[in-house]
Amino acid sequence: MKVRERLAMAAAESGYSLPTISAACICTILLLWVAQRWWTRRKWSLPPSPPAWPVIGHLHLLAGGMPHVALAKISESYGPILHIRLGSVPTLVVSTAELAREVLFTHDKTFATRPFFGCAARLKGGQDSGLAMARTGPAWSELRKISHAQLFTASKVKAAMPIIMEEVEGMMEEVRRYAKAGQVYNITKGTSLLLENIICRLLMGQRLHEVSDLRLGSTLKEKVQEGVALFSTRPMVGDFIPWLGFLDIMHKRRIDRWIDSLHALLHRAVATRDPSPGRPKDFLDSLLLAGKDYNNIKVVLVDFLAGGVDTPSVTLDWAMAELLLDSKAKMKLKEELMKVVGGSSETLVQEEHLPNLVYTKAIVKEILRLHTPVPLLMPHMATGDCEVVGYNIQRGTRLFVNVWAIGRDPKSWGDNAVDFYPDRFLEKSEQIDVRGQNFELLPFGSGRRMCPGIPLALPIVEVTLANLIHSFEWSLPPNYQVDMKENLGSVLSRATPLLAIPSIRA
Ligand code: HEM
């Protein structure tokens, strides 16, 4: 018998009308739901939480594309540790340096894994075939070790410097051409191209746009951009509300098509490579020599392209934007470069100058504090129950660390926390570093899951910024204003391209 007929029978037998019985049923369901939530909260002693909606939980609070800002606002009312529900997924959000230490240091092991990602699970070889989205385990651990040994040790970074400097020099030549022609230069595009070239050459010995397959009519650059958009702009509904997973059918098809075309494009580059043992030329050689499966290799290459290109390039873009707005800081940087590097406008700032460029380093730290490229880190997940500052956190709870809010917390950074003030790193905050030891500044995260790319990212950003400022004077095009509005895609970038007119330094 259908529910409607049952209700009609009950109404006839009890003497109450059908609408009254329906209203009573709905009230009972709501009461049970509230009681269940209350009981869970009591039993688990959960952190504070704003009121949630049935089914979607707190998802509506994050609509609008700036979850780091929305969560920082909620924390102003509910405190720096929150327990929210994204659909049916319990999620812990922390927004102070002390709490970041709790979850990324004290409970580092518990929170080191990644949650299940429906889109990553569709990769050939599954979610754990790569590095960035893989759950902790022997496969992830081995890939971290291989990538550290082949890309990020001091000797590997030193060996990578000629490639980095060749690309930086190429960019400076390009800017010089614009300067001679008095033309407007697109800094956003220029820094992005530089990073694509450097990272792809270190990974595969070719620039990103050179990795292409004419038969397939596409380049790896297009495929990576397509993938970043697919994975970052539209989450899977089923990852948050499993019973609504059917809404992802079209999205899953698009992801499957993208994965097939990516694998086809990369296949030739990987399968035709014959590395010489003992002398790997690039990262791809190292992965092949380590006996990694082709599917594995392709996903790892894309992980490094997706993780290693946009983060340093937006850091450079934000730095140039802040310096275009702050002539005092720009002058101070120029003075440092004249003192340490000197020479003519064609003299390149080199790696060996970096240890003495303290103000350049202060500017890069300040940019990573104020415009941190990954504002909530990547999602972590608890692999066991644990207690965080007296609250019980259940296994399976997702974790967001709001490093954007932590970087702007007046308790750590004083009254000028939201201002661009690089001198703070020469004064009171001199000892604070970005490498995961100081929890008030975590642009790369901290602990087991911390970004492995720091040793490569910092010299690239520092040497490029120093060269852009040492060789050129920069002015704004007529009627153009630097737009500091944020846009969150795969990383936190500025919303519009940065344009400026270079001229050659006298
Ligand atoms: C300014 C530059 C960079 C910033 C700010 C940055 C930031 C981050 C952050 C916040 C994470 C997530 C940490 C977490 O979940 O706790 C991460 C992960 C990662 N980054 Fe970076 N990154 C940068 C450059 C690079 C570079 C140059 C590479 C490689 C060439 C790279 C490769 C990766 C990889 C593979 C992961 C995933 C690690 C894992 O899950 O085990 N990053 N990065």
Side-chain angles (χ1 to χ4, degrees), residues 310-371:
D310 288 350
T311 39
S313 81
V314 296
T315 307
L316 277 166
D317 184 69
W318 279 112
M320 286 300 287
E322 288 286 7
L323 289 174
L324 282 169
L325 292 174
D326 187 336
S327 50
K328 234 167 103 187
K330 195 168 63 184
M331 268 321 291
K332 193 163 171 176
L333 176 55
K334 277 188 163 300
E335 279 164 20
E336 173 173 271
L337 291 165
M338 271 322 281
K339 206 165 120 202
V340 176
V341 184
S344 75
S345 68
E346 297 202 6
T347 308
L348 274 188
V349 183
Q350 303 281 353
E351 185 208 2
E352 53 269 26
H353 296 121
L354 294 182
N356 295 320
L357 295 179
V358 286
Y359 193 61
T360 313
K361 287 175 189 287
I363 290 178
V364 173
K365 279 192 204 174
E366 181 68 344
I367 293 298
L368 290 168
R369 177 188 77 82
L370 205 52
H371 305 292

Side-chain angles (χ1 to χ4, degrees), residues 40-58:
T40 311
R41 257 180 192 281
R42 220 176 107 92
K43 184 174 159 221
W44 283 96
S45 166
L46 296 174
S49 171
W53 283 21
V55 183
I56 63 167
H58 297 93

Side-chain angles (χ1 to χ4, degrees), residues 204 215 263-275 284-285 288 292-295 297-298 301:
M204 306 173 67
R215 288 164 312 161
H263 277 257
L265 199 149
L266 277 174
H267 193 75
R268 214 150 56 116
V270 176
T272 54
R273 191 57 87 86
D274 185 13
L284 172 55
D285 279 354
L288 285 163
K292 293 276 119 202
D293 167 61
Y294 280 5
N295 286 336
I297 292 177
K298 292 170 192 170
L301 291 175

Side-chain angles (χ1 to χ4, degrees), residues 92-357:
L92 180 70
V93 185
V94 300
S95 311
T96 60
E98 298 74 41
L99 288 162
R101 169 186 282 277
E102 271 290 302
V103 290
L104 296 177
F105 179 73
T106 313
H107 296 292
D108 175 26
K109 195 168 174 201
T110 309
F111 283 108
T113 203
R114 300 275 185 232
F116 171 80
F117 292 109
C119 49
R122 306 190 78 75
L123 294 167
K124 292 186 200 301
Q127 172 164 355
D128 299 330
S129 54
L131 190 61
M133 290 193 274
R135 288 156 298 191
T136 44
W140 167 80
S141 193
E142 195 199 350
L143 278 176
R144 282 238 9 161
K145 276 195 201 119
I146 296 177
S147 46
H148 178 74
Q150 298 307 326
L151 284 172
F152 304 127
T153 59
S155 61
K156 291 290 174 178
V157 173
K158 191 137 197 77
M161 275 329 276
I163 289 181
I164 295 171
M165 287 313 298
E166 202 180 301
E167 292 298 333
V168 171
E169 201 173 346
M171 181 187 187
M172 296 309 130
E173 273 164 24
E174 168 90 342
V175 179
R176 203 161 284 125
R177 277 195 290 278
Y178 276 75
K180 283 184 181 151
Q183 281 176 345
V184 175
Y185 183 73
N186 187 331
I187 296 176
T188 310
K189 215 165 137 190
T191 53
S192 179
L193 188 67
L194 173 80
L195 264 300
E196 282 169 16
N197 289 345
I198 293 176
I199 301 295
C200 200
R201 279 184 71 185
L202 296 179
L203 295 176
M204 306 173 67
Q206 285 173 285
R207 296 191 173 102
L208 190 59
H209 67 271
E210 291 165 356
V211 186
S212 61
D213 192 326
L214 293 180
R215 288 164 312 161
L216 298 168
S218 58
T219 64
L220 183 55
K221 180 173 172 157
E222 288 157 5
K223 283 290 138 216
V224 172
Q225 283 168 348
E226 226 178 272
V228 166
L230 265 177
F231 279 62
S232 65
T233 49
R234 151 84 159 84
M236 291 266 197
V237 178
D239 282 0
F240 300 101
I241 309 170
W243 57 271
L244 286 180
F246 65 89
L247 294 175
D248 294 322
I249 288 175
M250 293 309 288
H251 191 45
K252 281 181 184 163
R253 280 201 195 133
R254 249 177 263 134
I255 288 181
D256 290 347
R257 272 202 301 273
W258 175 77
I259 291 172
D260 285 344
S261 59
L262 175 79
H263 277 257
L265 199 149
L266 277 174
H267 193 75
R268 214 150 56 116
V270 176
T272 54
R273 191 57 87 86
D274 185 13
S276 37
R279 208 166 47 84
K281 285 190 292 298
D282 53 33
F283 189 54
L284 172 55
D285 279 354
S286 317
L287 291 170
L288 285 163
L289 287 168
K292 293 276 119 202
D293 167 61
Y294 280 5
N295 286 336
N296 231 210
I297 292 177
K298 292 170 192 170
V299 179
V300 175
L301 291 175
V302 174
D303 269 353
F304 275 93
L305 287 170
V309 170
D310 288 350
T311 39
S313 81
V314 296
T315 307
L316 277 166
D317 184 69
W318 279 112
M320 286 300 287
E322 288 286 7
L323 289 174
L324 282 169
L325 292 174
D326 187 336
S327 50
K328 234 167 103 187
K330 195 168 63 184
M331 268 321 291
K332 193 163 171 176
L333 176 55
K334 277 188 163 300
E335 279 164 20
E336 173 173 271
L337 291 165
M338 271 322 281
K339 206 165 120 202
V340 176
V341 184
S344 75
S345 68
E346 297 202 6
T347 308
L348 274 188
V349 183
Q350 303 281 353
E351 185 208 2
E352 53 269 26
H353 296 121
L354 294 182
N356 295 320
L357 295 179

Side-chain angles (χ1 to χ4, degrees), residues 21-83:
I21 293 200
S22 306
C25 286
I26 292 170
C27 285
T28 312
I29 291 169
L30 273 177
L31 269 174
L32 284 173
W33 182 76
V34 170
Q36 187 250 338
R37 301 234 66 79
W38 176 82
W39 175 245
T40 311
R41 257 180 192 281
R42 220 176 107 92
K43 184 174 159 221
W44 283 96
S45 166
L46 296 174
S49 171
W53 283 21
V55 183
I56 63 167
H58 297 93
L59 275 175
H60 62 292
L61 298 177
L62 306 191
M66 292 288 163
H68 54 293
V69 182
L71 289 169
K73 283 221 173 83
I74 300 170
S75 284
E76 281 171 18
S77 313
Y78 288 85
I81 178 162
L82 299 172
H83 188 270

